[in-house]
Amino acid sequence: MPPVLCLLMLFGALWSYGEAMSREEKQKFRNQVVEMFDHAYQNYMDHAYPADELMPLTCRGRVRGLEPSRGDVDDALGKFSLTLIDTLDTLVLLNKTTEFEAAVRRVLSDVRLDNDIVVSVFETNIRVLGGLLGGHSMAVMLKDGGQNMQWYQDELLHMAKDLGLRLLPAFNTSSGLPYPRINLKHGVRGPETRTGTETDTCTACAGTMILEFAALSRFTGDPVFEDHARRALDFLWEKRQRNSNLVGTTINIHSGEWVRRDSGVGAGIDSYYEYLLKAYILLGDDLFLQRFNIHYASIMKYISQPPLLLDVHIHKPLLPARTWMDSLLAFFPGLQVLKGDIRPAIETHEMLYQVTKKHNFLPEAFTTDFRVHWAQHPLRPEFAESTYFLYKATGDPYYLEAGRTILDNLNRFARVPCGFAAMKDVRTGSHEDRMDSFFLAEMFKYLFLLFAEAEDIPFDVEDYVFTTEAHLLPLSLSTAPNASSIPSNKTSDEELDDSNFDWTCPNTRLLFPDPAFPRSLREPIRSAVDKSCPRPAPYREPGMGRPPLRAQDFMANNPEHLELLRRMGVSLIHLKDGRVQLVQHATQAVSAVAAEDGVRFMQEMMELSSQQQKEQLPPRAIQIVSHPFFGRVVLTAGPAQFGTDLSKSSTGVRGFVTVAEPYSGCSEITNAEYVQGHIALLQRGQCMFAEKARNIQKAGAIGGIVIDDNEGSSSDTAPLFQMAGDGRSTDDITLPLLFLFHKEGNILLEALKEYREVEVLLSDKARDRGADVQEEEEDCQTEAKTPTSFEPDSQSQMSTEELDESAPEEVTPAQEEVSPVAEVIKEEEEKAVDPQAETARPKEERDSEKTQEPRGDTDSSSQSVDELLADWREDLEAFKQMEKDEL
């Protein structure tokens, strides 16, 4: 199939449902962008040039070695007039062709690339090499126009090739991954280089070379640059974690071992994903898009929890690696627009916008409840970038207002007499004496394009692709000769089947035919960030209207309860992993009294949760003791906060298992004659855990095992699951109830299918096997064991507890239009909250899709028990090795 060179930028797919901003207003803001650029650029030229960057508080240039070292940040500085080179194509975009021509002449006459200085390979590539190539692209475009740059003879391209050759020695490693730093004069080897001893690099550092290096190869006809960049990308692809299809943050450039195994879309990884998609756009090589789609599916499965994007462990992708997000992930909604996945882009952007409005700028890092984690803000452009792409994809004037907010905050809080100063602390508004080159290279490009009309732009932007530094590379390079001499490592046919690969571009006119739809996505998120304090509930006359819904009575599968929530202005947001949030908007309630009922409901949810936050219980064990297992197979199970306490039982509960009918266990058991005296197998979903326990207890069961319906879940990749009650007394439940994740539960179901009669022991830990079965055990070939307890890193030691909800927020009388927000889990089975993420895991929709009731002979997998156990052993070994590595 020929390459599909769709930009996916979705330009022109606009919704014309009302102009919130007139052409005159857009022109005013466009002119304001140009004035702000002039203020920054002219101050750099007046006070800093030929230094790399401007120090706007002291009105002088930052020269490396003359100013106190800032550590790795200074690796971007190479005494090559960084800001001027980084700004070249911005000048053309803003119609400053005279200034561009003068800037090019300055670069050619003043800039040296052979300085004896150690620089970051990554930063030098995206800022300097990218700036030279972007400047060359603009110079050629202007020359072809016949009016400007008629003297130009590819001088910037010659400089770019010189720089590319100086960066090439960094790739001389056994893996092909580049060293993180290089000496521009001496390379990486030898004592005079003062570098070359590093062993680690970030994934983005090694994986963000292909656009600039491939463009350099195709501009010059020399394939060596593209070859090396492709080899680095191939190596990263081969080293991805094969089960999760995620990559870590830091990798050893010699061995290829992951040094940091946390994975996200922010710092350390961000532009690796960006360059896979954009390399396909620029070069037309299907392989890059195929790999991107495989990664993207895993990102959306594990990392994306709209509107949040949370880092996970590559070997334990269901376990969060941290509880905060960094500001570099703000580029990701823009990348999702290029991908064509607009809905999560809208949601995440809205979260970022609300955080921006709360703190004036995006803090370098902020927590999942949107508090400041790292307070700095170096005037990063990623949020403006995503704002621009979302506006071009939707035509929604809401994003023009977001752009105006960015402009206002820059002028109010960052503007100083000699330029724009980075924020040292967004909470206090204090400044830092820095104005990074990317501020001129990226921020003003995206803001200008946001407010510009087509006639304001001197060329067709759709003929170019933006690099991660917003440099412009022409798409015509896709037809340039590709003489790459190193074939890429091909991905297997199974990995690259069409189910992993979107060949066509989406039509956004059909994605959201209702112009109010994006607004409906933004509203709940806005409330979630805009936190406030509760007011006392108003006095309600006795008998005035029906009594309000109480939190302890709420059932998520009750249509009447859902309608009551709607009347109170409470809406449910379904998260990607099955969790839901309850968010209230007072303005959406049917009356003021209903709104106050909603406030009380949210407060009660918090109180109910705190009542259920009992001491964490240790994991339990389910030991298969019948032939041919004889106790060798032990499955880690989650406990319940009710029923028999197995830790107080010296013998545990032993019995044969049988599948309850209905499998959900949410109504009277119809096969009670088989369940009586047995341990009932149940499926998670459709009702509370306690209700399941009561139903099988009534049928005469001696115990119960609830099996997760979330396919692929496993105790080695997810925190311990602890089942809570239903908010009422559970003293009537006297049997033990345990929880198995899907993978462990499947082993039990497969054993039941193959052997018909399977006996298990429910206990607090695995028991010693009896001497009477020792002889038989020696002949048994089935051997797999899961530990009932382990000592992983601190992230793994936390249990996920099934509770009623998380804490609501408060509202002040001065903010009556916004009512509290509580992240609440409610499903037909249980009320839950994850104490780490402050939301919980249940999923209502999936229950309705799984109405078929499996029996003991139901084939839930084509694998045999032996195959399942073999897979289990392999996963367990990988898990143990990972824990060993992390310790």
Side-chain angles (χ1 to χ4, degrees):
M1 177 172 189
V4 184
L5 279 178
C6 54
L7 269 180
L8 304 179
M9 290 185 180
L10 315 177
F11 294 169
L14 307 181
W15 294 318
S16 56
Y17 53 86
E19 281 289 327
M21 186 176 289
S22 66
R23 288 178 63 93
E24 291 73 19
E25 286 180 295
K26 289 179 66 177
Q27 182 179 8
K28 180 184 74 171
F29 291 120
R30 182 172 65 254
N31 293 339
Q32 186 177 3
V33 171
V34 175
E35 185 278 328
M36 292 167 66
F37 170 82
D38 289 340
H39 177 68
Y41 178 71
Q42 200 56 51
N43 273 287
Y44 166 75
M45 296 304 297
D46 292 344
H47 301 292
Y49 182 81
D52 284 315
E53 289 181 343
L54 169 68
M55 300 174 67
L57 299 183
T58 52
C59 299
R60 69 177 192 269
R62 182 178 298 280
V63 179
R64 193 169 171 186
L66 299 184
E67 303 294 335
S69 173
R70 301 176 297 170
D72 292 348
V73 176
D74 283 339
D75 287 343
L77 311 180
K79 298 183 180 179
F80 35 36
S81 301
L82 174 63
T83 297
L84 182 62
I85 293 176
D86 220 0
T87 308
L88 289 177
D89 50 6
T90 307
L91 289 167
V92 178
L93 182 68
L94 271 59
N95 294 289
K96 296 182 176 294
T97 53
T98 302
E99 291 88 341
F100 171 73
E101 190 161 350
V104 171
R105 292 186 184 275
R106 283 182 181 269
V107 170
L108 298 180
S109 63
D110 299 345
V111 173
R112 295 178 59 91
L113 299 174
D114 59 350
N115 301 309
D116 183 7
I117 192 169
V118 176
V119 296
S120 162
V121 173
F122 167 75
E123 296 290 356
T124 305
N125 173 65
I126 65 171
R127 299 203 207 186
V128 186
L129 182 57
L132 292 171
L133 292 172
H136 170 69
S137 300
M138 296 294 99
V140 170
M141 182 269 297
L142 291 172
K143 183 178 181 179
D144 291 344
Q147 294 184 355
N148 302 95
M149 300 296 291
Q150 295 304 302
W151 55 269
Y152 182 69
Q153 298 295 327
D154 296 344
E155 289 88 349
L156 291 177
L157 180 59
H158 299 324
M159 289 186 68
K161 184 172 183 179
D162 178 28
L163 181 59
L165 291 171
R166 295 180 183 279
L167 295 178
L168 273 184
F171 291 83
N172 291 333
T173 61
S174 57
S175 65
L177 299 179
Y179 283 97
R181 297 175 184 84
I182 194 167
N183 186 299
L184 288 176
K185 186 173 184 178
H186 300 294
V188 294
R189 299 190 181 277
E192 73 277 6
T193 66
R194 303 185 302 282
T195 186
T197 60
E198 302 94 339
T199 58
D200 306 334
T201 192
C202 71
T203 301
C205 298
T208 310
M209 310 293 291
I210 186 65
L211 290 190
E212 293 82 3
F213 269 46
L216 182 57
S217 282
R218 300 194 179 204
F219 272 133
T220 63
D222 187 346
V224 65
F225 306 105
E226 185 171 346
D227 287 345
H228 281 80
R230 281 178 178 266
R231 184 183 175 201
L233 276 180
D234 289 344
F235 190 83
L236 289 173
W237 172 254
E238 289 301 317
K239 289 300 179 180
R240 75 193 186 283
Q241 212 288 324
R242 296 304 179 98
N243 291 325
S244 65
N245 279 318
L246 296 173
V247 292
T249 303
T250 307
I251 191 170
N252 186 294
I253 60 177
H254 303 296
S255 67
E257 295 296 321
W258 291 110
V259 178
R260 283 183 52 194
R261 295 172 175 82
D262 49 313
S263 183
V265 296
I269 302 180
D270 48 2
S271 49
Y272 163 69
Y273 293 131
E274 177 186 4
Y275 268 38
L276 282 178
L277 180 57
K278 290 184 175 179
Y280 165 71
I281 295 172
L282 179 66
L283 307 176
D285 189 336
D286 297 340
L287 186 69
F288 294 122
L289 181 58
Q290 293 162 349
R291 290 178 179 178
F292 172 80
N293 276 300
I294 292 171
H295 280 315
Y296 185 78
S298 293
I299 291 170
M300 299 309 292
K301 181 177 182 181
Y302 299 118
I303 294 171
S304 175
Q305 302 180 34
L308 308 180
L309 291 164
L310 294 177
D311 283 19
V312 299
H313 294 279
I314 59 175
H315 291 89
K316 300 178 291 183
L318 297 178
L319 184 65
R322 63 190 189 191
T323 58
W324 49 270
M325 296 167 280
D326 66 76
S327 62
L328 285 172
L329 61 76
F331 90 101
F332 197 67
L335 189 65
Q336 289 179 306
V337 170
L338 297 186
K339 159 72 176 171
D341 200 3
I342 310 296
R343 175 175 181 144
I346 291 173
E347 293 171 328
T348 298
H349 179 277
E350 181 61 23
M351 178 269 293
L352 296 169
Y353 185 27
Q354 296 306 317
V355 173
T356 296
K357 292 204 290 188
K358 184 172 184 176
H359 301 295
N360 299 320
F361 299 97
L362 273 182
E364 274 292 78
F366 51 93
T367 62
T368 54
D369 58 352
F370 315 114
R371 295 186 175 93
V372 172
H373 185 68
W374 295 336
Q376 303 94 328
H377 174 74
L379 307 183
R380 293 200 185 276
E382 285 78 14
F383 178 66
E385 174 185 358
S386 289
T387 302
Y388 162 66
F389 280 117
L390 270 168
Y391 177 66
K392 297 305 290 185
T394 65
D396 189 343
Y398 179 82
Y399 297 109
L400 296 177
E401 296 299 325
R404 175 159 62 178
T405 299
I406 297 171
L407 287 180
D408 289 346
N409 289 343
L410 285 173
N411 277 320
R412 290 174 58 198
F413 303 111
R415 187 164 182 149
V416 294
C418 285
F420 291 84
M423 307 304 297
K424 187 174 183 178
D425 192 318
V426 298
R427 297 165 297 190
T428 63
S430 58
H431 289 123
E432 188 175 355
D433 199 6
R434 63 185 286 194
M435 187 181 80
D436 291 80
S437 68
F438 54 68
F439 182 61
L440 287 164
E442 300 183 67
M443 180 70 81
F444 294 111
K445 272 197 189 83
Y446 291 123
L447 290 177
F448 180 81
L449 288 169
L450 177 65
F451 294 108
E453 304 292 346
E455 58 269 21
D456 301 319
I457 306 171
F459 54 87
D460 189 347
V461 178
E462 293 189 48
D463 290 337
Y464 296 83
V465 65
F466 289 102
T467 69
T468 194
E469 190 77 3
H471 292 305
L472 294 154
L473 299 178
L475 293 179
S476 58
L477 290 174
S478 63
T479 60
N482 180 14
S484 179
S485 58
I486 301 177
S488 293
N489 293 336
K490 295 301 180 182
T491 312
S492 71
D493 292 339
E494 179 181 353
E495 290 169 332
L496 300 185
D497 64 21
D498 283 348
S499 65
N500 292 322
F501 187 29
D502 295 335
W503 285 103
T504 57
C505 302
N507 182 345
T508 51
R509 293 183 185 274
L510 303 178
L511 285 177
F512 303 119
D514 179 7
F517 183 67
R519 204 155 52 246
S520 71
L521 298 179
R522 292 192 294 258
E523 285 295 332
I525 297 168
R526 181 177 307 158
S527 178
V529 179
D530 187 14
K531 309 218 170 183
S532 34
C533 302
R535 293 167 285 131
Y539 174 72
R540 181 190 294 268
E541 291 288 342
M544 293 295 292
R546 55 179 165 178
L549 177 66
R550 307 304 300 269
Q552 65 181 22
D553 299 324
F554 173 64
M555 297 288 289
N557 64 337
N558 187 320
E560 183 179 352
H561 289 182
L562 295 177
E563 173 60 20
L564 288 174
L565 287 187
R566 187 194 66 78
R567 295 178 62 82
M568 292 188 295
V570 178
S571 57
L572 282 82
I573 304 176
H574 295 276
L575 301 181
K576 185 70 178 177
D577 58 1
R579 299 179 293 173
V580 298
Q581 291 177 307
L582 289 179
V583 181
Q584 190 203 19
H585 298 272
T587 56
Q588 296 179 5
V590 297
S591 66
V593 173
E596 295 298 340
D597 288 343
V599 173
R600 185 184 301 113
F601 176 81
M602 302 297 263
Q603 292 172 328
E604 289 178 354
M605 293 300 291
M606 179 184 69
E607 295 168 2
L608 191 59
S609 175
S610 63
Q611 294 171 5
Q612 292 188 339
Q613 288 177 356
K614 302 177 180 180
E615 181 181 356
Q616 295 295 305
L617 299 175
R620 306 303 189 207
I622 298 177
Q623 192 169 8
I624 306 180
V625 297
S626 56
H627 173 84
F629 305 98
F630 302 118
R632 290 183 181 273
V633 177
V634 182
L635 306 174
T636 300
Q641 294 181 347
F642 52 84
T644 301
D645 185 353
L646 292 172
S647 65
K648 297 179 180 179
S649 172
S650 59
T651 59
V653 174
R654 181 168 178 160
F656 288 92
V657 296
T658 188
V659 177
E661 295 183 9
Y663 190 30
S664 66
C666 292
S667 59
E668 183 177 352
I669 304 302
T670 58
N671 62 337
E673 67 276 16
Y674 297 106
V675 169
Q676 186 173 10
H678 288 70
I679 296 173
L681 300 182
L682 307 159
Q683 186 181 49
R684 179 184 179 185
Q686 301 185 32
C687 64
M688 301 291 185
F689 287 122
E691 184 177 347
K692 296 175 186 290
R694 291 187 178 99
N695 286 332
I696 62 171
Q697 180 172 286
K698 182 179 178 181
I702 59 173
I705 299 173
V706 178
I707 298 175
D708 193 9
D709 64 340
N710 184 14
E711 187 173 353
S713 65
S714 171
S715 64
D716 64 348
T717 58
L720 178 68
F721 195 86
Q722 185 166 298
M723 297 179 287
D726 55 3
R728 305 178 181 85
S729 173
T730 53
D731 294 342
D732 59 314
I733 302 175
T734 58
L735 53 70
L737 190 70
L738 299 182
F739 179 87
L740 285 179
F741 284 107
H742 183 270
K743 193 168 186 179
E744 291 90 333
N746 209 29
I747 291 176
L748 192 56
L749 290 173
E750 284 297 317
L752 185 61
K753 168 194 169 184
E754 190 162 339
Y755 299 104
R756 300 294 179 176
E757 292 189 347
V758 174
E759 188 177 16
V760 300
L761 173 66
L762 311 183
S763 59
D764 62 332
K765 61 182 178 180
R767 306 296 181 183
D768 291 335
R769 292 163 290 164
D772 57 331
V773 298
Q774 290 296 317
E775 184 175 343
E776 295 178 81
E777 289 178 296
E778 293 175 359
D779 297 326
C780 181
Q781 299 299 316
T782 305
E783 184 173 2
K785 183 174 181 180
T786 303
T788 58
S789 63
F790 48 85
E791 297 181 1
D793 60 275
S794 59
Q795 300 281 358
S796 305
Q797 292 173 351
M798 187 201 71
S799 299
T800 299
E801 182 179 5
E802 286 285 292
L803 301 175
D804 289 327
E805 84 295 325
S806 63
E809 298 300 324
E810 301 181 342
V811 63
T812 61
Q815 294 177 309
E816 296 181 357
E817 74 281 3
V818 179
S819 64
V821 176
E823 294 181 342
V824 180
I825 264 291
K826 285 288 188 173
E827 77 167 334
E828 291 126 325
E829 171 184 344
E830 64 266 357
K831 309 170 184 177
V833 70
D834 180 338
Q836 185 174 12
E838 297 184 358
T839 53
R841 296 196 53 178
K843 187 172 185 177
E844 298 171 358
E845 303 96 297
R846 66 187 178 204
D847 299 322
S848 62
E849 298 171 356
K850 302 188 179 182
T851 57
Q852 186 174 0
E853 299 170 7
R855 304 173 184 271
D857 58 352
T858 301
D859 186 8
S860 61
S861 171
S862 60
Q863 292 178 287
S864 68
V865 175
D866 290 342
E867 290 172 327
L868 285 165
L869 293 177
D871 290 344
W872 186 244
R873 284 197 299 271
E874 182 180 346
D875 290 345
L876 181 58
E877 288 303 316
F879 174 72
K880 289 179 177 178
Q881 183 61 42
M882 177 199 64
E883 298 296 348
K884 178 181 177 182
D885 292 343
E886 290 182 352
L887 290 174

